[in-house]
Structure formats: structure tokens, C-alpha cells
Amino acid sequence: MMQEIDLHGVFIPTFGVLALAAFMALAALRRLLHAVGFYRLVWHPPLFNLALYTCLLGALVMLARGVPR
Amino acid sequence: MGGQAGPSAADIVFSVKTFVAAMLAYWIALRFDLSRPFWAVGTVYIIAHPLAGAITSKAVYRLLGTVIGGVMTVILVPNLVNAPELLSFAIAAWVGLCVFVSLLDRTPRSYVFLLGGYTVLLAGLPLVTAPENAFDTAVSRVEEIGLGIICAALVSRVVFPRHAGPVLTARVDGWLGNAARLARDALLGERQAGDAVRERRRLAADAVDMRAFATHVGYDTAGSPAMADLLRALQQRMILLLPLVSAIEDHVAGLRRDGALDAATLAVLREAADWLAAGEASEAAAERLQGSIDRLEAAGAAHPAWAGLLLANLARRLRDLVALWQDCRALRADLASGAMRSPRARRAVAATGRPDLHLDVGMAALSGFATTLAVLIGCVLWIATGWADGVTVPQIAGVFCCLLAGMDDPVPAMRKFMVFVLLAAAVSFVYQFAVFPMVDSFLPLAASLGVLLIPAGVLLAIPARYLVGMSICVNVPFMLTLQSRLTLDAAAFLNGNIALVLAIMLAMLTASLVRSVGAAASARRLLHVGWARIAEAASRRRPPDHARLQQRLLDTLGLLAPRLAAATRESDLLASDLLRDLRAGLNITTLQRERRQLPGPPGARIDALLAQLADHYRGARAVTGAGLAELVEAVDACLAAVAAHAGRPAREAVLTLAGLRQALDPAAPAPRYREALAGRQAA
């Protein structure tokens, strides 16, 4: 995986971009789960959100660099 | 204070004054070649307050806290210098402890502990990687903050000082006016029940707020030292007024429902209402009113039924109200003149005990833990990534947790703050790279900053806009890292601001994970605390002091009020009326006292009732009102049993029981044992 992305001369770490993408995905997913009413089943929503974010970010990192064997 | 419509002239004067103080601090810092002049500038804006007394108190607290933090830095850093992990942990634990202690001190003094905590964060944390600077950094932070504080205090007191006195009397007058209106409506029965409850809650919250104000007043040299005492006494009287008004309202409503509200009673009520509404009333009018109330009580004693008890109780409450209102007037008059003159005010001040505040140890511990967690996570991020500017993340995350520790749910405030921080970053960017390159000396620099900071400072004076003004005025100097020489380093600027945003996100994360409970949960917690106190009063052989219970419960009520206002959808919470429960609690302590004079069967009856009451409040059934009907029935049975006995103690107990019944359920129909009461009266 490339360490940094070149944006017109400004180098942005790939991890930062992935973190941002995971955050966007989380926001979308959260809205969806809210609409479905999933959060009524969750004991502590902030904790659930944090875990979900970690999963999303991990998945994105894996996709970007390939699943390690 | 500042009008909601727009900035007043006083607000603009305040902003200009603050700016002058900031520039004075900046100039001195540059002259003495201090290493971080922007700390002095930022400090001036952090402690800025429209009132001179409040600035002095904030300045004293900030200075004290900074010194404590500086000492702690010098103690911690050299001792743990070889183990960065331990040092980070020690700093995080210290900050958490400081937040915990500051939340247990519910006065403006709590600022000392907060400052002691985050000074270590700001000055000590960068030393984890460069410990050789420990002493210099700690000293220079204390110096720069001290400089900022002195400049702010000096300018605010010398140039057009705005003293707390007039602001204070205006606030007190507003409060007393509202309370008088509330009392008037209660006497004349002219208000919707829901409105009155809301209004009483608002007044309770205002009265609790006034305590913080009293602390600032103590630092305003323009007022005599008596001012703070007078204000404290007045604040306590204000708080006592609320349960009285609520009781009077319920008694009047009860009399009206029974059709026992005759013309004579109405005349007395009207006389009392007029007396309350009159701004300044003579002693003669008060005497006349007392006479009418005495006649009312005599009429109640002669009346052979439930209505008679209500009348007698009403007369007592009215007498209390008159005495309390006279106290309030005397205190208000002395407060306006600035000296304790009237004997009535002197007596009232002497009778004022130390406030007994509600402390939520569990919540404070949780807040402290959240702060520690934020600092620790930030440190791990910073050390693990090896990002030099990352030190800002634990620092600012910790500061945010400290500053917003008192809120039920700090996350919305942080989110709002984030927007303004981004705005401030954009403004700073423009200044740093477009304006400053054209500036070559101090005066143009000050002028260019004034263009931004003076208008932003006006926002600082308007309570509703305080957050916006604060985030611009405080953040911009820090973001610009105002130095003696201009540095055009885009990387440093971006690094700093990215770290700042990450810090706020981290603070939001830990706050929402650990302690974001929301207003409703907090309100429920407070309600349960209140009920537990009433249950305790009912179950103990030796009940707590009457006045103390009243104070503690009213303090709880004052804390509860703003939270109930926020929890609009929680209907079960809104249905609860802690003020009514408070009156029940007061009647319970009175009953405890009277029970000691009543041996034999009636005493045993009262004991049984007290046990039942304790059970009711302990089981927290008070929230749904379940079991209320049985409770009222038990009170009625006890009332009948005690009323069958003659003598003064029995009569007193009967009156208290009637008051208790009216507090528990004012809507309950009149008891059905008029015969028993009538028989007693005949005998």
C-alpha cells in the first residue's frame, strides 16, 4: 500500500484518508440503523459506535493492502 | 446583563477594555522577551468578564490554580523522567483527580482545581519527551498567566469599572418581582397549575444560580464585605419562599373546592396580595395584615371540619410568608445601600447557616475518569505515532474534559465548539499568511488584531453568544502563536490545527463513552436523591434538622429545574413535583418533633404512618404516584385517631397531618370523618 497520497504536492497519509472514509461510512450506517430502530437493542450506543467504527476502519485497511495471510 | 437584542454601549466598552488589556499584556511579554506571549493574551480573554468583581475572583482562582499546577509539574516531571509511560499516566491521573475535586466544590472556587489540573497538562506534558526544560516551562507559564491576569484585573478595575452592585440589585429586583407575582397568583388562585409549576422551577434554578454570583460579589471591593453576607441571606430567603407559596396555593385550592372559601378569607388573601405587590410597604400595613391573619386563624380554630384545619394552616403559612417577605425587603434595601443597617436584616444574616449542597460523588468520579481516559488515549496516540505536534491532542482533549465536566451531556457543546474552532482556524490562517507578512511593528499588529478581536469581544459580553466569542477570542491568539518574530510555517500551522480538531474529537469520544448521561437520567438521579432524603427523615428516630432538610431538598430542586426544562418528552418526570415532596418532607420532620409530645395510641398511630411514608419514598414509588391513594387514606385514619384526643400537642399534630395530606395529594377529596372532628370540637 502507498504510505501517502500526493494531492497536488500536499502529501496526505493514506491512513488518514481511510479514517475519514470509515467515518463517512459510519455516519451513513448510523443513520440507516437509526431508521431501522436497531439502536433500541443497544445498551450503550456510543460504545457500539466506537466498535463499529473500529470494524469499518479495519476492514478498509485490509481492503487497501490486501488480506494478510 | 447584556441585552438579547444587540450589544449595548457597555458591552462595547467591555470589549475595548479587554482588548487593551490583552495588548498591554502582549506588549509587556514582548518587552521582557517571554517565550510564549500568546499565553498572556489568551489568559486575558479567558478570564474576561463584564463585572470587575468577577474578573478579580476569576483572576485570583486562576493564578492560584496555575501556581498549584506549576508546583505539581516541578514535582512530577523530574521524578518520573525516565519512564514516559509512567509520567503520562501520573499526569492523566492527576488531571482526573483535579476534575473530581473541582466537581465536588460547587462554587466558582472549583476553578482553582481545574487550573491545577490542566496547567500540568499544558506545561508538563510536552516535557515527557524533553524533561530538561521542566523548571523553565513551568515558571514561564506561571509568569505569562500571571502577567495576563494582572493586566486584565488592572484594566478592568481602573478604566470604567463596572461594579456588581447595580447589576446585582437589578437581578434581585427582577427575581423578587417574579416571586411576588407568583405569590400573588397563588393567593388569588389565578394561574394554570402547569404554568405555576414551571415558574416555580425556574425561580428555584435562579435562586441557586445566585449563589455563584454571591461568591463573585465578595471580590468586588466597591461593595462592603457585608454585601456578600446580605446576598447569601437573601438567596436563602428566596429559596424558602417557594415551598411556602406552593403550600398556600394548594390550601387555597382545597378551600375553594370544599366551598369553604368565604368572603372574609378572600378579603384577607386579597389584602396579603396587595401588600406583596406594593413595592415599599409601611410597618403599619404589615401590622394590619398580621391582625387579619390572626382573625383568620381564630376563624379556622372555630370551624368544626376539614375546612377549619385548612384555614388554620393557611393562616400559619401566610404569617410565615409575611415574615419572610419582610426579611427579603429589609435585605434588599440594605443591599441597595451597601451597608447592613436594619435590625431585621442583621437578624436574617445571623440566622443564615452554611449552605448544605448536594454532591454527586459518583458522577464526579465518572467525570474524572473520563478526563483521565481522554488524556491517556491522547498520549498513546501521540507517543505511538511519533507525531511531534500530537502532544496537543492529549492536552486539549484534557482541557475540554475539564472545562465541560459540569455538564450532563457535554457532547453537543463540544460539537458546537468544533464548528467555531474551525472558523477560528480559517480566520487565523488568513491572518498568519495574508495579514502578518505586511505588518512590521507592534502598533500595526495590534491594530490588525483589533479589527477581529474587538467585535468578537462584544459577543463575549452577551451571555447567549458567549461560546462564539470565547472560541474566537481565545483560540485565535493561541492559533497564531503570537511570537516576537513572524514564522511563516504552513506545516506547523496545519499540524497544530489538525491536532486541535483531533483533540476535540477525542474529548467527544470519551465523554460520550463514559459519562454522557443526558438531562433526563440526571434529573431522575436527583429526584431519587431527594426522595431518599425524605425517606430518611421519615424513618429516623431523631430526624435531621428542619431547616437543613429544607435547604438540601431545595438545593436539589434548584439543580433539577434546568434539567427538567431540557427533558421535555419525559412525561413521568414532568409529572413529579419535588417541591410538593419537599413540603411533605418538612411536614414529616415537624410530625416527628410533635410525636415526642404524644404518648400512647395516637403516638403509635403516627409511628406507623411515618414508617409507611418512609416506605413510599424509599421505594421511589413517588415517581408514578402509585400507592398515593392508600397513603392519603392512612393519613386520614391517623388524622381521625389523633383528632379524637384533646390538648395542644394533638391539635398541633392534626394541623401538621392536614398540611402533609395537602402536600401529598392536594386533589384528594376532603376526608369523610367530619363527625369525628366535629365531636372533638364540641368537647
Side-chain angles (χ1 to χ4, degrees), chain B residues 105-148:
Chain B
D105 182 343
R106 275 182 39 201
T107 62
R109 196 175 55 208
S110 61
Y111 198 50
V112 174
F113 303 107
L114 281 187
L115 246 292
Y118 70 71
T119 298
V120 175
L121 263 186
L122 293 180
L125 211 52
L127 305 173
V128 169
T129 49
E132 63 278 2
N133 302 332
F135 192 74
D136 288 347
T137 312
V139 168
S140 76
R141 175 157 168 99
V142 174
E143 273 175 2
E144 282 143 10
I145 290 201
L147 175 66

Side-chain angles (χ1 to χ4, degrees), chain B residues 479-504:
Chain B
M479 285 173 168
L480 293 175
T481 56
L482 292 171
Q483 308 266 355
S484 44
R485 249 164 259 96
L486 177 66
T487 46
L488 279 179
D489 187 351
F493 184 84
L494 279 180
N495 265 325
N497 285 305
I498 291 172
L500 190 60
V501 171
L502 281 180
I504 301 176

Side-chain angles (χ1 to χ4, degrees), chain B residues 577-654:
Chain B
D577 188 348
L578 192 62
L579 203 53
R580 209 160 256 160
D581 293 326
L582 156 73
R583 280 165 42 210
L586 295 179
N587 279 310
I588 286 171
T589 53
T590 317
L591 201 58
Q592 290 263 28
R593 214 169 39 223
E594 283 157 0
R595 185 250 169 274
R596 268 177 253 154
Q597 322 271 325
L598 271 177
R605 261 332 254 276
I606 290 178
D607 281 346
L609 178 67
L610 285 172
Q612 205 172 342
L613 282 164
D615 220 35
H616 178 77
Y617 280 108
R618 194 176 297 123
R621 267 176 299 172
V623 74
T624 53
L628 203 60
E630 290 105 82
L631 212 54
V632 170
E633 233 163 74
V635 174
D636 284 351
C638 191
L639 200 57
V642 178
H645 288 258
R648 197 173 157 72
R651 170 78 184 161
E652 293 292 316
V654 164

Side-chain angles (χ1 to χ4, degrees), chain B residues 324-340:
Chain B
L324 204 58
W325 198 250
Q326 276 177 315
D327 280 358
C328 282
R329 272 193 187 144
L331 287 167
R332 155 76 183 81
D334 280 8
L335 211 54
S337 70
M340 213 185 297

